[in-house]
Amino acid sequence: MKDTTTTSYKEGLKTLRGSMSDMLPSEVLEVFDNDANALHEEHTSILKLRAGDKAYDFTLSNAVDKSINLYEILKTNRVVLTFYRGVWCPYCNLILNQYQAILPEIREAGATLIAISPQNPDASLSMKEKNNLQFEVLSDNGNLIAKEYTTVHPNPEKSLKKMGELGYDYDSYNSDVKSELPVPATFIIEKDATISFAKSEGADYRNRVEPSEIIKALNK
């Protein structure tokens, strides 16, 4: 697959979609796209917490099974918190690569980047190694934390079936068997635990919050 790392997610998405069209049969890509469109139509109110709300505290395991607590980090740094689907999702790999690219700017703004998915620590470690991520990737078993911040929904059956046909054992990535996923969303949390930025591009997981929006919000 071509390198899709860029400062603009939309530009990277165009390249990624071209690569996927070359790699996947059109009928397979159509199933995923139809499910993404259906999710977008079904879920219209995504965020559970918005700007001005107090962030829900949590303690989750990172990729090497070490406990990470949100409020402990907030004692010294602001936090950029993003929810993603998993290492098997090409759109997640693209956006986390792009967030890695702006990590120096995030740190310069006095913030720590954290990414959360329902994956188990082994799958989170795979995500970090695959994308050379230098920020925490945490495991939210059962999407308990995700449900406090964003919408959670079942992974559509047709998509699960196609994933299996492509050789992906979806259940092997997660610690629970509900096959639920968070709608991707990104938050900026200030040191006093107040959320200053909250955004999701909707339940169509092909769309994500642009890296430039995060930097702009951090420097506001």
Side-chain angles (χ1 to χ4, degrees):
M1 184 177 292
K2 298 177 183 178
D3 181 14
T4 55
T5 302
T6 176
T7 55
S8 167
Y9 178 75
K10 289 183 179 178
E11 291 176 4
L13 181 59
K14 290 179 182 178
T15 303
L16 174 60
R17 292 288 299 187
S19 298
M20 292 174 68
S21 295
D22 292 338
M23 296 172 60
L24 296 176
S26 59
E27 61 270 19
V28 173
L29 195 56
E30 183 179 5
V31 167
F32 293 140
D33 286 345
N34 287 342
D35 280 344
N37 290 331
L39 287 170
H40 179 72
E41 294 295 326
E42 180 180 356
H43 302 285
T44 56
S45 181
I46 304 301
L47 298 179
K48 305 303 180 183
L49 293 176
R50 300 180 181 276
D53 291 340
K54 185 175 181 179
Y56 182 86
D57 192 20
F58 59 78
T59 300
L60 296 174
S61 296
N62 68 4
V64 292
D65 218 15
K66 176 184 176 181
S67 293
I68 304 296
N69 177 259
L70 173 63
Y71 278 20
E72 281 298 314
I73 296 175
L74 291 177
K75 289 179 179 179
T76 55
N77 284 340
R78 296 189 283 172
V79 167
V80 176
L81 181 66
T82 190
F83 291 87
Y84 72 102
R85 291 150 49 87
V87 66
W88 45 268
C89 173
Y91 306 100
C92 295
N93 286 293
L94 170 60
I95 195 59
L96 292 191
N97 257 303
Q98 293 193 339
Y99 290 170
Q100 171 63 37
I102 63 168
L103 188 58
E105 294 175 81
I106 290 175
R107 288 173 172 169
E108 186 177 348
T112 295
L113 176 60
I114 295 174
I116 294 179
S117 81
Q119 297 182 125
N120 57 45
D122 284 346
S124 294
L125 182 60
S126 176
M127 173 63 90
K128 279 184 69 81
E129 293 176 341
K130 178 179 180 180
N131 295 288
N132 193 29
L133 304 180
Q134 304 302 311
F135 52 86
E136 294 288 7
V137 180
L138 307 185
S139 298
D140 182 16
N141 183 21
N143 288 292
L144 298 181
I145 305 306
K147 290 175 182 177
E148 300 292 337
Y149 284 84
T150 185
T151 296
V152 172
H153 63 81
N155 197 347
E157 286 296 329
K158 290 181 180 179
S159 288
L160 282 172
K161 182 179 179 180
K162 288 302 178 184
M163 285 179 65
E165 293 173 359
L166 293 171
Y168 290 94
D169 179 7
Y170 173 79
D171 289 336
S172 69
Y173 294 99
N174 299 349
S175 298
D176 71 328
V177 294
K178 292 183 179 179
S179 299
E180 291 183 333
L181 295 170
V183 173
T186 299
F187 303 81
I188 295 176
I189 306 170
E190 303 298 326
K191 288 183 181 180
D192 65 357
T194 300
I195 295 172
S196 59
F197 175 89
K199 187 171 183 180
S200 171
E201 292 292 354
D204 181 346
Y205 53 80
R206 296 169 296 186
N207 301 319
R208 304 297 172 98
V209 176
E210 286 281 0
S212 60
E213 285 191 77
I214 295 173
I215 299 304
K216 182 178 179 181
L218 283 170
N219 294 327
K220 188 175 181 181

